[in-house]
Amino acid sequence: DKTVSLRKDLSEMHEWITQAEEEYLERDFEYKTPDELQKAVEELKRAKEEAMQKEVKVKLITDSVNNFIAKAPPAAHEALKKELDVLITSYQRLCNRLNGKCKTLEEVWACWRELLSYLDAENKWLNEIETKLKATENIQGGAEEISESLDSLERLMRHPEDNRNQIRELAQTLTDGGILDELINEKLEKFNTQWEELRQEAVRRQKSLEQSIQSAQETDKTLRLIQESLGVIDKQLTAYSADRVDAAQVPQEAQ
């Protein structure tokens, strides 16, 4: 009869809700790779959409039960009404939990992608430092040229800490939740090691360039003094030559 049919619809819907809860909400999930995390996000999106589509089914059952109650004897009302109320409550709770978990995982995925983008930006900066350090290994030239290289290196090293702070915060957020913790720790260890090695090398190179500048300045000063001295001697010799003075008649230095 109609009561049996309605109870069957209610039971089937309850079974689907229970199965969805066990499949997507009660299981313990571990996300050790980006693929696992992305797959979980996609699965929850599908589950959320499927649950939303079931709203039509729940509405049909609700209408059917209410129509039956309106026509059936009062004795049949209470049990069916109670089952319907339980179904509606369970369905709404399932949708809310799926929406909440889906939103959380989408935020986690966005957090992971943001972490990667910051790491990519900082690694590009580290590569620039490495290239700059190689370019200044055996730099040749005068004090001015060496000074320009030093200024360029110092400007590069005045890189803001914002990105590194973001990397630390995003990584902490993810690893605190046990998400991609091994992978993130591996990436951070590699990044921090490279950063510290290049920082130390940059400090050594700055000191070396400062010493090279000082040495080049001393060399430039010596050359200027020699040039000035040669200029004076050249004028003296030119004067001697113009006066047809014999070499034996001039000071030893001029000879």
Side-chain angles (χ1 to χ4, degrees):
D1 64 2
K2 185 64 175 176
T3 307
V4 174
S5 176
L6 289 173
R7 284 208 165 93
K8 181 182 178 185
D9 290 340
L10 287 164
S11 176
E12 288 176 352
M13 196 63 204
H14 273 300
E15 287 177 7
W16 180 85
I17 291 172
T18 301
Q19 184 178 349
E21 286 177 338
E22 291 174 352
E23 180 67 20
Y24 301 108
L25 300 173
E26 307 301 337
R27 282 193 299 139
D28 290 329
F29 291 90
E30 285 190 0
Y31 310 111
K32 295 299 182 184
T33 68
D35 286 345
E36 289 176 353
L37 178 58
Q38 187 176 23
K39 183 180 177 182
V41 172
E42 291 171 353
E43 283 183 351
L44 269 175
K45 280 183 179 179
R46 286 194 295 269
K48 185 178 75 170
E49 290 169 2
E50 186 179 354
M52 289 173 65
Q53 291 168 1
K54 292 290 184 181
E55 184 178 0
V56 176
K57 177 72 172 175
V58 173
K59 190 175 185 308
L60 286 173
I61 293 174
T62 301
D63 290 344
S64 296
V65 170
N66 287 334
N67 288 335
F68 176 77
I69 289 174
K71 300 173 184 177
H77 292 188
E78 189 175 345
L80 270 178
K81 188 69 172 66
K82 185 177 180 180
E83 287 183 41
L84 178 62
D85 290 342
V86 170
L87 173 65
I88 292 173
T89 301
S90 298
Y91 173 72
Q92 289 175 341
R93 185 182 68 243
L94 172 68
C95 289
N96 290 337
R97 292 180 68 190
L98 283 174
N99 289 340
K101 186 162 186 177
C102 189
K103 182 181 178 182
T104 298
L105 273 191
E106 285 176 330
E107 289 173 351
V108 167
W109 177 250
C111 185
W112 163 247
R113 298 301 304 172
E114 191 177 5
L115 173 62
L116 287 184
S117 70
Y118 279 115
L119 277 172
D120 183 58
E122 288 302 277
N123 282 322
K124 285 179 181 177
W125 171 65
L126 290 178
N127 290 337
E128 288 180 23
I129 294 177
E130 195 169 15
T131 301
K132 177 63 69 177
L133 289 173
K134 287 180 180 178
T136 59
E137 270 181 2
N138 299 302
I139 189 168
Q140 302 296 323
E144 186 176 348
E145 184 179 348
I146 299 173
S147 181
E148 287 177 359
S149 294
L150 176 60
D151 289 343
S152 177
L153 178 59
E154 287 178 340
R155 282 196 301 272
L156 196 57
M157 292 305 296
R158 286 196 290 270
H159 186 68
E161 285 283 310
D162 296 356
N163 284 2
R164 289 192 71 209
N165 292 336
Q166 286 292 332
I167 287 171
R168 280 193 291 267
E169 290 175 12
L170 290 167
Q172 191 69 48
T173 298
L174 290 168
T175 54
D176 281 351
I179 297 167
L180 306 175
D181 48 356
E182 292 179 5
L183 179 61
I184 289 172
N185 289 333
E186 180 184 328
K187 283 183 176 293
L188 256 61
E189 184 177 356
K190 181 181 177 182
F191 167 73
N192 289 328
T193 298
Q194 187 183 14
W195 187 91
E196 186 59 31
E197 288 175 352
L198 288 174
R199 187 192 67 80
Q200 291 178 4
E201 179 58 30
V203 171
R204 286 193 293 268
R205 188 60 48 82
Q206 285 171 326
K207 290 180 180 178
S208 174
L209 289 173
E210 287 168 356
Q211 291 171 352
S212 296
I213 291 171
Q214 186 177 356
S215 177
Q217 287 173 338
E218 290 172 356
T219 301
D220 289 346
K221 182 179 179 182
T222 302
L223 286 173
R224 280 197 306 273
L225 291 174
I226 292 173
Q227 287 172 341
E228 290 171 4
S229 177
L230 287 174
V232 171
I233 293 172
D234 183 60
K235 288 179 181 178
Q236 289 176 345
L237 291 177
T238 300
Y240 292 148
S241 177
D243 294 341
R244 297 183 180 279
V245 176
D246 188 80
Q249 296 175 300
V250 300
Q252 183 69 30
E253 180 181 316
Q255 293 181 24

